[in-house]
Amino acid sequence: MNRPYVICHMLQSIDGKIAGGFFREKQTLELAKIYSDISKDYNGDAIIYGTTTAQEMFSSSKTAPVLNQNPIKKIDYIYKNDKNKWIVVIDPQGQISFYQSVYQNTRLKDKNLIVILTENISSQYLETLKSLNISYLFTGKDEIDLRLALEKLYDLFSIKKLLLQGGGITNTYFIKEDLIDELSLVVSPVVSGEEKQPNIFKDCHEYIGQTFDLKQSDLLMKSGFYLKYVRK
């Protein structure tokens, strides 16, 4: 199977939380800059986000105008220009309300968007994506087939290195499918304890049992840690 090398790169609290109050702490804010620098140093071809994370970044109450509401064939739509970096969004049910000025988002500087969909999507949603020059790929009828998604990203967009940046639900889908090659963790010296905040991996009520080798460990800012694990 031709697919990108997948690196799960996350900033977390000591107790594994990836969102919540610990992000307001001075130590976490300082480590967030290092986390961002490490992400840039990886020089991945693309970053992939789950629906919840992408909604926070790209969704708007003002939707883009729909040019045409006629039925559209459920086939992949590929938009390319001179940009060769990508942000990939998993959105099985078309929940994200992309807006007309989405490419003004600083995260999309020098990048294009790709949305991973199921076939259970309205023509109106597809027309909106096309009108915004957002590529989309179909990877299953009712559920996302992650392996097929990665194959298409590799074959159609030449994405060889992919940074996975959650949230916890999406990270869990990848780990359950044995599709994470490397874990890159910046650990803040803060205990969150917030039960309702997501962990790096969502509890999936079954033993996964995958093992990684520790390849690098660095002390950061006197109290944080960088940990790099590679799949055995």
Side-chain angles (χ1 to χ4, degrees):
M1 165 183 174
N2 286 330
R3 69 166 180 85
Y5 183 83
V6 178
I7 302 157
C8 184
H9 180 54
M10 303 298 295
L11 172 59
Q12 65 170 68
S13 66
I14 288 177
D15 52 335
K17 300 297 181 181
I18 56 173
F22 87 98
F23 267 96
R24 296 190 292 270
E25 299 292 340
K26 179 183 176 184
Q27 298 99 318
T28 308
L29 292 171
E30 292 172 342
L31 289 168
K33 297 175 184 176
I34 297 175
Y35 169 81
S36 178
D37 289 340
I38 294 170
S39 183
K40 291 174 185 174
D41 289 343
Y42 268 116
N43 193 30
D45 301 306
I47 298 172
I48 189 165
Y49 299 117
T51 306
T52 302
T53 304
Q55 276 181 317
E56 295 172 358
M57 294 178 178
F58 304 121
S59 207
S60 170
S61 57
K62 297 179 180 179
T63 57
V66 177
L67 304 180
N68 173 350
Q69 296 194 27
N70 294 324
I72 295 178
K73 272 186 152 184
K74 302 292 176 69
I75 57 175
D76 298 337
Y77 171 71
I78 299 168
Y79 172 80
K80 289 185 179 180
N81 54 17
D82 58 347
K83 300 176 183 178
N84 58 4
K85 299 284 185 180
W86 309 88
I87 283 183
V88 183
V89 172
I90 296 177
D91 190 16
Q93 308 303 325
Q95 295 174 258
I96 302 171
S97 299
F98 290 101
Y99 49 93
Q100 223 171 350
S101 57
V102 64
Y103 279 110
Q104 293 177 18
N105 188 303
T106 55
R107 287 184 176 85
L108 285 166
K109 183 181 179 183
D110 302 323
K111 296 181 180 71
N112 284 318
L113 266 169
I114 305 169
V115 180
I116 306 296
L117 304 170
T118 64
E119 294 175 22
N120 188 24
I121 293 292
S122 70
S123 292
Q124 180 176 337
Y125 187 71
L126 298 179
E127 187 64 32
T128 297
L129 296 181
K130 288 181 76 171
S131 73
L132 297 173
N133 295 329
I134 297 174
S135 299
Y136 54 80
L137 303 174
F138 291 100
T139 60
K141 186 174 181 180
D142 298 305
E143 294 182 358
I144 295 293
D145 181 336
L146 276 179
R147 291 182 180 274
L148 177 59
L150 293 185
E151 286 181 11
K152 286 190 173 188
L153 292 175
Y154 186 98
D155 292 337
L156 300 176
F157 297 92
S158 299
I159 294 174
K160 306 295 195 301
K161 187 190 294 182
L162 181 65
L163 293 183
L164 168 63
Q165 296 185 357
I169 295 173
T170 301
N171 291 348
T172 300
Y173 289 154
F174 272 81
I175 198 75
K176 283 179 68 177
E177 293 292 325
D178 194 16
L179 291 172
I180 294 179
D181 301 293
E182 187 175 315
L183 282 166
S184 171
L185 307 176
V186 175
V187 183
S188 171
V190 180
V191 175
S192 166
E194 292 180 274
E195 182 181 0
K196 293 184 179 180
Q197 294 298 342
N199 290 315
I200 181 172
F201 297 111
K202 184 180 182 294
D203 183 4
C204 58
H205 306 292
E206 61 186 58
Y207 180 63
I208 296 173
Q210 292 183 23
T211 306
F212 290 75
D213 283 331
L214 180 64
K215 294 296 184 181
Q216 184 178 342
S217 61
D218 298 323
L219 182 65
L220 303 175
M221 308 293 294
K222 297 184 180 179
S223 56
F225 256 101
Y226 175 65
L227 302 170
K228 178 178 178 178
Y229 292 91
V230 175
R231 185 83 168 92
K232 278 191 172 184

